[in-house]
Amino acid sequence: MWDARAPQLRRRGQGVVISLLLLHLLLLLLLAGAASGQQQVQPPPLPPVPPADLPDVERQLNNLTDNVAVTISDKFSFCVADAKEDWNEAFNYTSDLSFVDRCLTETRGDLPQRLCTPDEVKFYFSSLYDRDGDKNINLKTNINCNISYWEKGCDAGWACATNPVQDPRNRGSNGIPLRTSNCQACCEGFFCPRGLTCMLPCPLGSYCPRATANQTTGLCDPYKYQITPNTTNSCGGADMWADIQSTEEIFCPAGFHCPSTTKKDNCSSGHYCRLGSTAEEKCIIKGSCDENTENENIKILGACIVGALCLMLLIIYNFSDKFLSIRERRKARSRENAIQLARQQLKTQEGWKAAKQFARRHVNGMQGHLSRTFSRRRSFRQQVDPEKSSHRVQEAPLMSQVHMQEMSDSAVFASQSTNEITEVMPSVIVDVSDDGEVVATKEKPVPKGKHRSTHTQVFKYAYGEIEKEKFQQQENKNLTFTGVIAMVKDQQKEITRPLLKVEFRDLTLMLGKKKLLRSINGELRPGRVTAVMGPSGAGKTTFLNAVTGKVSGYKMTGSVLVNGKNVNIRSYKKIIGFVPQDDIVHGNLTVEENLWFSAKCRLSASMKHRDKVLIVERVIDSLDLQGIRNSLVGTVEKRGISGGQRKRVNVGIEMVMEPSLLILDEPTSGLDSSSSQLLLRALRHEALEGVNVCAVVHQPSYTLYNMFDDLILLAKGGLMVYNGPVKTVEEYFTTLGIHVPDRVNPPDHYIDILEGIVKPESGIKAKHLPAHWMLHNGYEVPSDMKDDVKEIGEQTPQFRSSSSISGSTPHCLPIRNAFAEERDRLEQHLSKPKDLSSRKTPGIFMQYKYYLGRVTKQRLREARLLMVDFLILGLAGICLGTIAKLSDKTFGMPGYIYTIIAVSLLCKIAALRSFSLERLQYFRERESGMSSLAYFLARDTIDHFSTVVKPIIYLSMFYYFNNPRSTIGDNYVVLFALVYCVTGIGYTFAICFSPGSAQLCSALIPVVLTLLSTQRSTPTFLKRLCYSKWALEGFIIVNAKKYPGVWLITRCGLLFQSQFDIHNYKLCILVLFMYGLFFRMVAFAAMILLKKR
């Protein structure tokens, strides 16, 4: 019957404390059973037990542990961590059994007859609470204590003995034996409930002395029970043991420690004693603990930690940028030295060439002079001038030395046999003396066995090549026609990039029923710079997206050919550069860092480091970014470089990856004329290397306009008006009767005509210009332009009747088409077209390394934001630790609830910055072929630093101001798992929602989930879905384990009421980590699948 009742109370959720008290009911039940088993073998009249028999009683009490442990582990394991250990901490009296000795003496040896039987223990605990869990003041009536019969032992603190030989007929209906003999006060160290006539031992950590009558109140102190009126009984012993809220008087008071249940000692100086303590504990700071100190005051230690933390944050705040600036200064010095060396070598070469030419002229002049004087002075033919002879002899070695020196310098820069910079012969450097004289000296050779791989040597190679290119460009200005032809042939031989020719045939793009592009035909050729122009709304950016394959969510017809093959252009994305209209760059990185990251991740993995340095330095030099290379680009909050410089950095990010097709969306917008020309010169230099350059341009100047090779002119509605060389555009429009007035920029005039601002003198209509172009080139004219062709008066060609481009589109797009478009979009995101670019970029692990370095720099520059996060978290720990003071009755549950809410909110909001602020940058990098997995893992790896440090920051405040009983290490493990979990949830919010919605969810979700997990009416399955339930359970478990002995009933009551299990500590940690891992996987999947908003 008893075994079936406990599960029933669990299911109903009623009488929570009842079921938990039944745990210790069982313990005491077995205790009474062991004692009653012995009473049958003892004679009825027991004389006082002699001292020699006391060890037998001690062994009887000590052997109870092993008998009870098995039963506890089977039925009440949810609140008992270790049955044997918990039982020993509660009822192991081997250290002091003096109270048993005294009780045996007081009862004259009939102690076993006074202990409660199993039926009496069951009756006691089952009567304390009703089915609804409400407490009862009085026990139910029984055979000994009822309306008609009331023994002295029925009073609180009193007990009676049973007869030595029990008559089965002298038992009540509930199995309680008849107790009528030797009634006396309850012994010290035992408690005797009111309404029963038996004794139960008090647990360790309690103090159970004899009660004394208070003449003022009429109560028996310290237990606060009243003597039954009209009786001769005086105050007895303790009367009850239950949870802390019901029987706080039985607990050893705070400021004292009770080695046994009958002894109470003052807590000495330098120690503190909590409520229910069996021993005193040393204070960390002895001077802070006086005599009878209830709890250690470690706020001073917390204040010291706060001061140290503030000092550390102050150091981070002031010196976060110094770590990176030191390295940058070293690289800058190496670069400056390399530039000087490169320029000195070039100047030396020019000097040697000039000396060589001078020597040749001097030798030729000397030879002519000698030939003339030879005929005049034949008589001196046999006389040899030793000085002149030696001079001529020395000139030949001088010329050969010059030749060898030139060969040496060229060998240095052309050496490709090793990754290190080597020298074949000693190079010549220039030393400028104090008086301004230039002296040529030889550089000391490198010792054998030592490799020169310093930054200076790498930069020396790069700037040597750059200076030579500049020198050649300067010389090429005065070349003859034959020299120009030779230069072009040399450049064609040096082209190593794959050439991409892009053709688009009958390209039409639709969004729903709206046509964005219509029947676009043309081509983009390598080695040429093409300008795309047109009025606003003509579809210029849409055209670029269609050419590069970025048309997810659109319906496209027609074809885009690459080198004459109908293949997916995304297969060449590794060698295609796309410069967006907005300047999407990393504001917390320098100009050089932005360029270098793009180069390392997108250039060939087999390319040598010095060649990458050359490419980056060449782009920096061509875009005139030398002066700002170490400057932060800047963000909206923090000012950086200017808008024009930012635009050039935006272009440089694509130039450093050496693309074969470079698409630019309005690269000159916001630039002045000189900056635009500088940018166009850099693009023309790319075109000379075989790059196919196409750019959207708004209102270019006449000089800028003439720098383009080809022109694509679009009209409103996505129709093409012209596609061809810039030199023939005026000729074509002249045939249509459109002439450019004097001193008017041709593109401005054509755009004004397409806008309808200017009407041509020939009377031609702007809407007919696309039809004219189609007829001029023999393209098929769409059927919806039939009327335009008729108005032109030309013979109508064979029209197409394709429904995909006709104007008779359905009013509502069918649902199946919407599903088909979504399927195509997902296929485009998930499919991996075959790579046809023949470029093997770094793999995921190398990109992860590069991303890791970049994010580390960003975090160091954002150290002030991190400092603010730490500061707010520390203040939250101080406030919550002070406000939510530790309560032993609840094991500190309110403080832990506030902790879960505060830490979840702050950590989620901080995690939003990891992805929400760089969403556009990520989309750009993903479209260029960079690894999304490397990007995600790198940011998550760096965030692990905060995941490790934030629990330390919070606990260093909360723990020392709240001072729970659990160790700081156990609390750290739970809080670390919680921070890891909520960080993953923050990632999901940052990626799936807009910044405002993500912040709102981060603030509301912790509060809602915590409230759900702490309500008793919430279904169990819903509680288990809340991460806050597992975090709270982990905190309570580590704290509950520190409440042994007299706290067992309180511990079991709280765990049962909260539906916690003391064995679930590892499970709680595992679940929190699994939640964090799961939400990270969700965030990564969302980052891949969700389209750009």
Side-chain angles (χ1 to χ4, degrees), residues 283-295:
C283 295
I284 299 177
I285 304 176
K286 293 185 178 181
S288 63
C289 296
D290 299 329
E291 189 176 358
N292 294 96
T293 300
E294 299 181 1
N295 200 352

Side-chain angles (χ1 to χ4, degrees), residues 15 176 208 237 307 479 574 599 619 641 721 731 777 895 971 1016 1018 1050:
I176 297 178
C208 301
L479 285 179
K574 290 184 179 180
V619 170
I641 60 179
V721 176
E731 179 182 350
N777 292 277
N971 284 272
R1016 294 178 59 183
T1018 305
T1050 307

Side-chain angles (χ1 to χ4, degrees), residues 535-794:
S536 299
K540 299 182 293 296
T541 302
T542 305
F543 166 73
L544 296 183
N545 291 331
V547 170
T548 55
K550 301 180 180 181
V551 288
S552 59
Y554 298 89
K555 183 179 180 181
M556 188 178 74
T557 59
S559 58
V560 178
L561 307 181
V562 181
N563 292 337
K565 299 179 181 179
N566 191 2
V567 296
N568 191 346
I569 197 170
R570 294 176 65 230
S571 303
Y572 297 91
K573 63 181 179 181
K574 290 184 179 180
I575 56 175
I576 295 178
F578 187 90
V579 180
Q581 181 176 352
D582 299 324
D583 301 330
I584 303 175
V585 293
H586 293 277
N588 48 11
L589 294 178
T590 64
V591 172
E592 184 179 5
E593 288 168 352
N594 274 285
L595 300 180
W596 252 114
F597 180 79
S598 180
K600 287 188 293 187
C601 289
R602 301 173 67 182
L603 287 174
S604 176
S606 60
M607 181 178 290
K608 299 176 182 179
H609 176 66
R610 62 174 185 174
D611 293 328
K612 294 180 181 179
V613 173
L614 173 59
I615 293 171
V616 173
E617 295 299 328
R618 182 184 291 156
V619 170
I620 291 176
D621 186 73
S622 63
L623 295 176
D624 194 21
L625 300 175
Q626 284 284 7
I628 58 168
R629 64 184 305 155
N630 292 325
S631 301
L632 290 177
V633 174
T635 58
V636 177
E637 296 83 6
K638 188 176 182 179
R639 178 68 177 173
I641 60 179
S642 65
Q645 294 168 340
R646 188 184 181 95
K647 178 72 70 174
R648 281 179 276 161
V649 174
N650 189 29
V651 176
I653 288 176
E654 302 299 327
M655 290 177 59
V656 294
M657 50 84 63
E658 289 198 330
S660 296
L661 173 62
L662 182 58
I663 305 295
L664 305 97
D665 192 2
E666 300 186 19
T668 59
S669 298
L671 300 182
D672 54 20
S673 179
S674 60
S675 298
S676 299
Q677 292 183 24
L678 176 68
L679 179 60
L680 259 294
R681 280 196 294 268
L683 295 179
R684 289 196 62 83
H685 185 272
E686 292 290 307
L688 290 176
E689 297 184 5
V691 181
N692 191 342
V693 182
C694 180
V696 173
V697 184
H698 273 301
Q699 294 182 339
S701 62
Y702 184 74
T703 303
L704 198 67
Y705 168 71
N706 286 325
M707 296 178 70
F708 288 98
D709 298 314
D710 297 325
L711 172 66
I712 294 178
L713 192 59
L714 298 177
K716 287 187 176 181
L719 292 167
M720 183 170 288
V721 176
Y722 178 81
N723 180 18
V726 171
K727 296 180 180 179
T728 61
V729 62
E730 295 187 38
E731 179 182 350
Y732 166 72
F733 281 102
T734 301
T735 59
L736 300 178
I738 299 177
H739 302 278
V740 180
D742 295 337
R743 297 186 179 182
V744 175
N745 195 10
D748 293 341
H749 182 66
Y750 300 143
I751 293 175
D752 289 342
I753 292 175
L754 294 175
E755 286 276 12
I757 299 175
V758 177
K759 298 192 178 295
E761 298 178 356
S762 61
I764 190 173
K765 296 182 179 180
K767 67 176 184 177
H768 294 162
L769 291 178
H772 276 290
W773 175 252
M774 294 180 185
L775 296 175
H776 176 75
N777 292 277
Y779 298 144
E780 294 183 6
V781 181
S783 58
D784 56 349
M785 297 179 65
K786 183 192 307 182
D787 296 336
D788 294 339
V789 176
K790 289 181 178 179
E791 290 182 15
I792 294 174
E794 297 287 340

Side-chain angles (χ1 to χ4, degrees), residues 790-1030:
K790 289 181 178 179
E791 290 182 15
I792 294 174
E794 297 287 340
Q795 183 179 0
T796 305
Q798 183 179 0
F799 297 103
R800 293 177 299 171
S801 60
S802 175
S803 61
S804 62
I805 61 172
S806 64
S808 60
T809 55
H811 180 71
C812 295
L813 196 65
I815 297 179
R816 62 177 180 269
N817 291 345
F819 280 109
E821 291 180 4
E822 184 67 15
R823 180 191 61 194
D824 295 340
R825 184 184 69 82
L826 290 176
E827 287 180 355
Q828 184 177 5
H829 278 289
L830 297 177
S831 61
K832 292 185 178 181
K834 184 178 180 181
D835 186 15
L836 302 176
S837 60
S838 68
R839 176 182 291 185
K840 186 177 181 181
T841 55
I844 293 179
F845 292 104
M846 287 303 298
Q847 290 191 35
Y848 170 74
K849 174 185 174 182
Y850 298 146
Y851 272 114
L852 207 61
R854 187 182 77 176
V855 179
T856 302
K857 294 178 181 179
Q858 291 175 319
R859 289 291 185 268
L860 286 176
R861 294 194 174 101
E862 294 173 354
R864 298 181 180 182
L865 292 176
L866 194 62
M867 182 207 68
V868 173
D869 290 342
F870 291 164
L871 184 61
I872 295 176
L873 202 62
L875 292 176
I878 294 175
C879 295
L880 296 181
T882 305
I883 296 173
K885 294 182 179 180
L886 178 67
S887 174
D888 289 324
K889 297 179 181 180
T890 60
F891 293 177
M893 182 178 288
Y896 288 128
I897 292 176
Y898 300 149
T899 293
I900 293 172
I901 295 176
V903 172
S904 298
L905 190 149
L906 295 176
C907 292
K908 283 181 183 178
I909 292 179
L912 297 181
R913 294 197 301 266
S914 295
F915 291 95
S916 61
L917 299 181
E918 292 192 356
R919 182 175 297 183
L920 296 178
Q921 287 87 339
Y922 161 71
F923 281 117
R924 177 178 183 177
E925 293 171 355
R926 185 182 72 178
E927 293 295 333
S928 64
M930 295 189 194
S931 173
S932 297
L933 180 60
Y935 171 81
F936 185 88
L937 291 179
R939 302 197 73 83
D940 186 39
T941 302
I942 297 302
D943 284 344
H944 287 343
F945 172 77
S946 298
T947 305
V948 172
V949 174
K950 284 183 177 180
I952 299 176
I953 300 295
Y954 181 83
L955 285 178
S956 63
M957 308 298 152
F958 176 82
Y959 187 86
Y960 292 102
F961 284 86
N962 188 265
N963 197 10
R965 295 199 179 192
S966 55
T967 64
I968 191 172
D970 292 335
N971 284 272
Y972 174 80
V973 173
V974 180
L975 196 58
F976 172 73
L978 174 63
V979 174
Y980 182 82
C981 173
V982 298
T983 301
I985 299 176
Y987 290 166
T988 305
F989 290 163
I991 294 173
C992 296
F993 305 122
S994 61
S997 300
Q999 292 177 3
L1000 182 61
C1001 292
S1002 300
L1004 292 180
I1005 293 297
V1007 179
V1008 174
L1009 293 183
T1010 305
L1011 291 177
L1012 284 176
S1013 61
T1014 54
Q1015 295 297 320
R1016 294 178 59 183
S1017 59
T1018 305
T1020 303
F1021 79 92
L1022 189 58
K1023 286 185 178 181
R1024 292 178 178 177
L1025 294 178
C1026 301
Y1027 73 88
S1028 53
K1029 180 262 183 189
W1030 300 101

